[in-house]
């Protein structure tokens, strides 16, 4: 049964076909939204397809524009059949391809109310449990929303099972663990080869509670922690 959905706060939407059921699904993007795409259920757009990486791509709102970024996926991200190598600005009508699956990016006219199926969901803005932002390398500027209660950080490999994958050979497999406790993130090193640092100080076995603006270094990769 279809339900009326108010699009007054929406700026855009993503639509795709579920490869398992064949059903068309949609994700509404509001101002400030961040959406993750991948094979894991924790993603905003979960596509259970063998060519899709666990955390394949991100879409993020910056300065009035939605950008799509490849998250070191095995098979790449394409916009209108051109492979992207850096954050790419989206416009209405663009087609995002994850090797095989297609995702359509569409504009939404403010105030319009349309009928939508039960699979409609919303990617909200800067609310939740914070994010890590890459501060260098090919993925510089990429934001990783921290949507889990507990997560592991490790090197991006074809068979990686950790929630946050970073393409850096200096990072162990896995490297660190983060736990969300009493509205705070605590980061622990997992006996990594090159260590985990917060603001330049190596972690000990007790870990470290993160504060907004902290710089977290896994191996040679540094990420900025923001609590919103």
């Amino acid at each position: 049964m279809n339900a009326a959905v108010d699009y007054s706060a929406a700026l855009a939407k993503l639509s795709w076909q579920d490869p398992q059921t064949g059903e068309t699904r949609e994700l509404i993007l509001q101002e400030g939204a961040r959406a993750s795409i991948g094979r894991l259920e924790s993603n905003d757009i979960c596509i259970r397809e063998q060519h899709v990486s666990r955390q394949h791509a991100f879409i993020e709102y910056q300065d009035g524009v939605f950008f799509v970024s490849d998250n070191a996926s095995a098979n790449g991200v394409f916009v209108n059949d051109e492979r992207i190598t850096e954050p790419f600005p989206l416009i209405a009508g663009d087609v995002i391809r994850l090797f095989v699956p297609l995702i359509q990016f569409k504009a939404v006219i403010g105030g319009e109310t349309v009928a939508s199926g039960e699979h409609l969901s919303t990617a909200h803005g800067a609310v939740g449990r914070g994010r890590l932002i890459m501060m260098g390398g090919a993925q510089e500027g990429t934001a990783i929303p921290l949507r889990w209660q507990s997560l592991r950080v490790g090197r991006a490999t074809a068979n990686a099972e950790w929630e946050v994958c970073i393409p850096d050979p200096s990072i162990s497999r896995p490297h660190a663990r983060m736990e969300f406790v009493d509205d705070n993130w605590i980061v622990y090193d997992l006996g990594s080869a090159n260590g985990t640092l917060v603001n330049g100080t190596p972690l000990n076995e007790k870990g470290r509670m993160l504060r907004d603006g902290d710089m977290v270094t896994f191996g040679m990769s540094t990420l900025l922690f923001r609590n919103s």
Side-chain angles (χ1 to χ4, degrees):
M1 180 176 179
N2 287 350
V5 178
D6 186 359
Y7 275 57
S8 59
L11 295 180
K13 71 175 180 179
L14 301 168
S15 63
W16 69 99
Q17 189 175 58
D18 189 306
Q20 290 189 313
T21 65
E23 295 174 301
T24 298
R25 298 177 180 249
E26 295 181 340
L27 182 73
I28 301 305
L29 300 175
Q30 300 177 350
E31 182 177 356
R34 300 188 301 274
S36 58
I37 307 169
R39 202 167 70 243
L40 291 176
E41 289 185 5
S42 54
N43 290 290
D44 296 294
I45 297 177
C46 175
I47 301 180
R48 295 178 177 273
E49 209 277 341
Q50 62 178 343
H51 297 102
V52 177
S53 297
R54 289 172 174 81
Q55 289 180 309
H56 199 110
F58 291 98
I59 293 176
E60 186 167 21
Y61 182 87
Q62 298 179 17
D63 300 323
V65 178
F66 286 102
F67 289 82
V68 60
S69 301
D70 188 355
N71 189 39
S73 65
N75 292 305
V77 176
F78 301 77
V79 178
N80 304 327
D81 280 332
E82 294 289 334
R83 186 165 187 169
I84 66 171
T85 57
E86 57 187 23
F88 186 90
L90 296 169
I91 62 173
D94 280 346
V95 176
I96 303 165
R97 179 165 63 86
L98 311 179
F99 190 75
V100 175
L102 299 178
I103 301 173
Q104 295 184 332
F105 179 82
K106 303 175 182 179
V108 172
I109 300 174
E112 179 184 3
T113 301
V114 301
S116 179
E118 62 181 355
H119 297 297
L120 187 81
S121 57
T122 302
H124 295 281
V127 295
R129 296 176 172 173
R131 52 186 167 148
L132 292 171
I133 303 172
M134 298 289 295
M135 299 304 291
Q139 300 295 313
E140 183 175 4
T142 297
I144 304 171
L146 302 176
R147 304 185 185 279
W148 307 269
Q149 188 73 28
S150 175
L151 63 89
R152 290 172 300 164
V153 179
R155 188 191 313 171
T157 63
N159 59 352
E161 297 180 352
W162 25 95
E163 290 73 22
V164 176
C165 300
I166 300 175
D168 181 346
S170 72
I171 292 178
S172 297
R173 301 177 291 177
H175 192 102
R177 186 179 86 254
M178 294 178 63
E179 300 281 348
F180 192 67
V181 181
D182 297 330
D183 293 329
N184 291 292
W185 280 105
I186 301 174
V187 59
Y188 303 89
D189 186 72
L190 293 178
S192 65
N194 294 305
T196 302
L197 295 80
V198 176
N199 300 327
T201 301
L203 295 182
N204 57 30
E205 65 277 2
K206 295 182 179 180
R208 170 79 175 267
M209 186 177 74
L210 296 178
R211 301 185 183 278
D212 188 46
D214 279 349
M215 291 292 187
V216 187
T217 301
F218 306 107
M220 300 298 291
S221 292
T222 299
L223 295 88
L224 170 67
F225 171 74
R226 299 308 307 263
N227 62 9
S228 64

